[in-house]
């Protein structure tokens, strides 16, 4: 049982939990993830470490309500407990020296933040591009602003904060100006795909943190398989970071949508049954 120490609500569907997990907090590294199961009948779902504190013994993860499990999680409060939290899993983000651009879109900003923080701590120059559909969906803005970054660029689709448009516009400017020499991107599949295509034009290395469907998080089930450079990889053990220019984005997008109808049915059924029966 893992106690929820704090609950933060960023928007209607986006939440952050701080969870008591002292052993995990001692081992977590930027780019790694954890698996959560709310109760005995719940599914296992992956979330990336958004933050952690080994001295105080807590870890944080951010999630958006999409299906039944995240709906159940959103109903929990500080003081409640989660049955299973397993991690850290996956490979940490490789911190090569250089001038980095870290791109985060939507809830992917929860991953971009610890990566940017670790890159800065390692002595790299870092520019961050934050992207979201609208101002209300931007998260961790103040935390990013507190980092000693070279530049912080915000884009929103509707222009409600920062530049109006998508992240690839400032990314292309940085490539053209030779202001960066490496890129890390995490967020929705279309955002990562077009960031990769932009970087390819300028022969710019780009790493993407992938988020396929996962079940066990240990490479045994095969659900998180992705095609990278024509080879099958498993995001939970080989990744989640991969060379974005070699990812089969069409395959990833198709696999992500495999259970969309079933997820919708499960969420609708849960609403009629009265929601979560999680531990407290």
């Amino acid at each position: 049982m893992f106690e929820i120490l704090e609950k933060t609500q960023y928007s209607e569907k986006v939440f952050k939990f701080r969870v008591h997990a002292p052993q995990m907090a001692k081992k977590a590294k930027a780019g790694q993830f954890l698996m959560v199961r709310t109760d005995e009948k719940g599914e296992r779902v992956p979330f990336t470490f958004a933050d952690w504190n080994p001295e105080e013994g807590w870890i944080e993860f951010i999630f958006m309500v999409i299906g039944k499990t995240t709906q159940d999680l959103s109903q929990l409060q500080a003081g409640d407990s989660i049955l299973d939290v397993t991690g850290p899993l996956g490979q940490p983000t490789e911190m090569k020296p250089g001038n980095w651009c870290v791109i985060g879109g939507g809830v992917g900003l929860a991953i971009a933040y610890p990566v940017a923080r670790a890159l800065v701590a390692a002595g790299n120059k870092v520019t961050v591009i934050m992207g979201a559909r609208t101002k209300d969906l931007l998260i961790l803005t103040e935390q990013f602003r507190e980092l000693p970054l070279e530049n912080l660029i915000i884009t929103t689709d509707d222009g409600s904060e920062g530049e109006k448009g998508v992240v690839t516009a400032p990314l292309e400017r940085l490539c053209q100006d030779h202001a960066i020499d490496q890129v890390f991107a995490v967020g929705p599949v279309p955002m990562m795909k077009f960031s990769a295509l932009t970087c390819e034009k300028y022969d710019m290395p780009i790493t993407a943190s992938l988020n396929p469907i996962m079940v066990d998080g240990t490479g045994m089930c095969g659900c998180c398989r992705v095609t990278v450079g024509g080879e099958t990889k498993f995001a939970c053990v080989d990744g989640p970071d991969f060379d974005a220019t070699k990812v089969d984005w069409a395959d990833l997008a198709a696999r992500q949508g495999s259970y969309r109808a079933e997820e919708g049915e499960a969420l609708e059924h849960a609403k009629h049954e009265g929601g979560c029966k999680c531990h407290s």
Side-chain angles (χ1 to χ4, degrees), residues 174-249:
L174 291 168
C175 291
Q176 290 172 340
D177 294 342
H178 305 288
I180 55 173
D181 48 43
Q182 297 180 72
V183 178
F184 175 91
V186 57
V189 168
M191 186 215 80
M192 293 190 289
K193 172 186 174 180
F194 285 103
S195 294
L197 291 173
T198 300
C199 286
E200 273 193 290
K201 290 167 54 179
Y202 299 93
D203 197 26
M204 177 70 63
I206 176 171
T207 298
S209 177
L210 304 187
N211 55 345
I213 294 170
M214 291 186 187
V215 174
D216 72 313
T218 63
M220 295 178 66
C221 72
C223 287
C224 69
R225 63 187 181 273
V226 293
T227 304
V228 182
E231 299 181 358
T232 297
K233 300 288 185 180
F234 297 97
C236 65
V237 290
D238 298 320
D241 294 354
F242 296 97
D243 182 340
T245 64
K246 296 181 179 179
V247 173
D248 186 332
W249 295 106

Side-chain angles (χ1 to χ4, degrees), residues 60 73 111 202 272:
E60 291 182 342
L73 277 172
I111 306 170
Y202 299 93
H272 292 311

